[in-house]
Amino acid sequence: MRSSPRRVPVSASPTFASLFSGCGGLDLGFVDEGFQPTGAFDWDDDAVSHYKRNVHYEAVKADLATEHGFLSRLRPNVVVAGPPCQGFSTAGRRQLDDPRNHLLPLAGDLASRMKPRAIVIENVAAAQAGGHKLYWEQLEAQLRVGGYRTHTVKWNAADLGMAQSRRRLLLFAWRGSHDPDFTQVPEPTQRLDAVLAGVERLSSHRPVLLDPGSRLFKIAARIGPGQKLCNVRGGPRSVHTWHIPEVFGKTTARECQMLELIMRLRRQERRRDWGDADPVRMHRLKLEFGCDTRATVQSLLDKQFLCRKDDGVDLCRSFNGKCRRFRWEETACAVDTRFGDPHLFLHPNENRPFTVREAARIQGFPDTYIFEGAEKDMFRLIGNAVPPPMARRAAQILRPLFSL
């Protein structure tokens, strides 16, 4: 089954062009609000083919870092852009000199060359944090020099009525005597059970249960709704590896006390000005743990629950959370490109990962949008997309500028 590109009104419709369009999440929101697409550009073959199939045929493969001379011939009313976020995202290495970071101010430069009345550029919230904010400041400055007024909003998808917590920046730039109204009234957050209701009848919904004999299934079986596999946090939402003996090996009650002591001290008693924890020194452990400290530590080293680090010991597997199982009555975290990996995310009540269609539903794609190809590529397209409901809100803000 293939979907037909969305029909858009041609007469009296403001037009828009899309840079770094991906598979069209940002564009779908504008189309739904009556804007007419006149051109979309992205370097990714899968993204372009999905855009043509589901949004509009005016999509072109182009590496905008080197191919952009043709853009100056376009005269859309609005330019929207979703340049790559990987160099800014806290989920990655966040390197200041990542070449992809330069695509953010490039998007503003390319957009302004087309002289639209309004521009919308989206990226992750961390694009305004730390040293990386210089790219955002450069983007704003060049748009203002080009005669645009600018305003940045920070939105959470949950406040827009979606079932995920996804914080994003949107930079609005516009010309003219009338300013957009950026007043935002939060909408009720949706629950996962409501968003995923009826998904079983749709395409790209092919649930695959974990193998009952696998290591991952045994871990998943221990993770309840709202919990995650996590050694570095306490509380009822964290399941520690030392509480899953069938996978990670047995521990004594005394060894568990030691591990929980280290879990607390490594974050409370900091010696470095980087990272979120420090190895714990042996003399500090002995002060609280008693005479059998050395023997207990050695046993946990042998069992690979602890490792030596610098001048102390630290937890092995010191990740903040894996195998995160969501609750039906809550929202999910941000849908990213790894949302189909059960090592990271688990279905609320089944021992399996999310399906492509479930990820698309949470991300706000319509059920008529057809995803095809390798599963990892479909998750990549969905995770990299701007949620269409968020884009729709951006379009609603700009729409009155074209009704005056």
Side-chain angles (χ1 to χ4, degrees):
M1 174 182 177
R2 290 179 179 271
S3 64
S4 299
R6 294 195 156 197
R7 294 183 178 181
V8 295
V10 176
S11 60
S13 295
T15 60
F16 74 96
S18 179
L19 308 179
F20 307 101
S21 62
C23 68
L26 183 52
D27 302 59
L28 286 174
F30 275 78
V31 169
D32 284 345
E33 288 302 312
F35 289 77
Q36 178 187 354
T38 59
F41 307 91
D42 199 277
W43 69 273
D44 183 88
D45 285 317
D46 283 338
V48 171
S49 65
H50 276 76
Y51 190 104
K52 287 182 176 180
R53 182 182 304 127
N54 293 280
V55 185
H56 198 258
Y57 62 87
E58 292 283 0
V60 177
K61 179 181 178 181
D63 182 355
L64 293 176
T66 58
E67 308 171 56
H68 45 67
F70 57 89
L71 292 176
S72 60
R73 299 192 297 269
L74 300 179
R75 286 293 181 267
N77 300 122
V78 178
V79 174
V80 301
C85 65
Q86 290 85 351
F88 300 108
S89 176
T90 55
R93 295 184 178 181
R94 203 168 148 74
Q95 294 177 324
L96 190 60
D97 59 350
D98 190 313
R100 293 169 293 188
N101 295 344
H102 297 280
L103 298 177
L104 179 61
L106 175 65
D109 178 47
L110 298 181
S112 61
R113 292 185 196 184
M114 290 182 270
K115 305 186 185 305
R117 184 170 181 183
I119 298 169
V120 180
I121 299 177
E122 180 269 357
N123 216 282
V124 294
Q128 260 191 339
H132 289 71
K133 67 182 179 182
L134 66 90
Y135 294 101
W136 195 267
E137 292 170 349
Q138 181 182 347
L139 168 64
E140 286 188 294
Q142 69 185 20
L143 289 173
R144 287 195 292 268
V145 168
Y148 290 93
R149 292 197 291 280
T150 65
H151 181 75
T152 295
V153 299
K154 183 182 292 185
W155 286 343
N156 187 341
D159 295 331
L160 301 178
M162 298 184 64
Q164 64 166 314
S165 178
R166 186 186 190 92
R167 291 174 173 82
R168 289 296 185 271
L169 296 175
L170 286 91
L171 175 63
F172 290 82
W174 67 97
R175 288 173 168 163
S177 58
H178 296 276
D179 294 337
D181 181 3
F182 294 101
T183 304
Q184 180 63 37
V185 178
E187 300 179 28
T189 300
Q190 290 197 64
R191 296 165 39 132
L192 269 181
D193 54 1
V195 169
L196 297 183
V199 74
E200 59 275 0
R201 68 178 185 273
L202 301 174
S203 65
S204 302
H205 179 67
R206 295 182 289 272
V208 179
L209 297 175
L210 298 175
D211 179 356
S214 69
R215 173 187 175 94
L216 185 54
F217 177 90
K218 294 174 183 176
I219 295 172
R222 290 276 192 155
I223 308 294
Q227 293 185 319
K228 60 184 178 179
L229 183 67
C230 178
N231 283 349
V232 298
R233 297 287 193 278
R237 287 184 175 256
S238 293
V239 177
H240 306 127
T241 57
W242 51 89
H243 293 146
I244 311 179
E246 63 270 31
V247 175
F248 298 100
K250 294 181 179 180
T251 52
T252 66
R254 188 70 169 157
E255 288 171 343
C256 288
Q257 292 175 9
M258 169 67 79
L259 290 166
E260 289 169 8
L261 173 62
I262 293 173
M263 180 178 64
R264 175 170 55 86
L265 292 178
R266 67 191 298 273
R267 291 179 58 82
Q268 288 182 354
E269 301 184 5
R270 299 302 312 276
R271 305 193 305 275
R272 304 176 297 188
D273 60 358
W274 52 273
D276 66 349
D278 288 318
V280 182
R281 292 170 175 170
M282 289 295 294
H283 73 85
R284 182 67 183 88
L285 287 176
K286 191 168 184 178
L287 285 176
E288 293 210 26
F289 201 73
C291 60
D292 61 341
T293 297
R294 189 169 298 278
T296 304
V297 166
Q298 186 58 55
S299 176
L300 290 169
L301 288 168
D302 294 340
K303 295 178 180 180
Q304 298 183 347
F305 283 99
L306 293 179
C307 59
R308 296 195 183 278
K309 188 179 294 184
D310 299 333
D311 57 349
V313 293
D314 200 1
L315 298 170
C316 291
R317 311 178 187 94
S318 56
F319 42 77
N320 185 27
K322 293 187 177 181
C323 299
R324 187 187 304 266
R325 191 186 294 279
F326 300 114
R327 296 179 186 268
W328 280 126
E329 64 270 24
E330 296 179 347
T331 63
C333 64
V335 175
D336 66 16
T337 58
R338 308 163 298 171
F339 209 69
D341 184 351
H343 293 89
L344 300 176
F345 306 107
L346 292 170
H347 186 271
N349 67 346
E350 296 180 12
N351 290 326
R352 64 169 178 86
F354 286 92
T355 68
V356 167
R357 184 54 60 184
E358 287 169 334
R361 272 277 189 95
I362 299 169
Q363 188 74 314
F365 278 89
D367 292 343
T368 53
Y369 195 110
I370 302 301
F371 293 93
E372 294 181 341
E375 190 170 88
K376 64 180 180 61
D377 292 328
M378 292 188 283
F379 276 110
R380 176 175 55 81
L381 293 176
I382 294 168
N384 284 335
V386 178
M390 185 176 287
R392 191 177 307 125
R393 177 61 187 134
Q396 289 168 354
I397 287 174
L398 293 182
R399 194 66 175 86
L401 295 182
F402 301 95
S403 303
L404 299 172

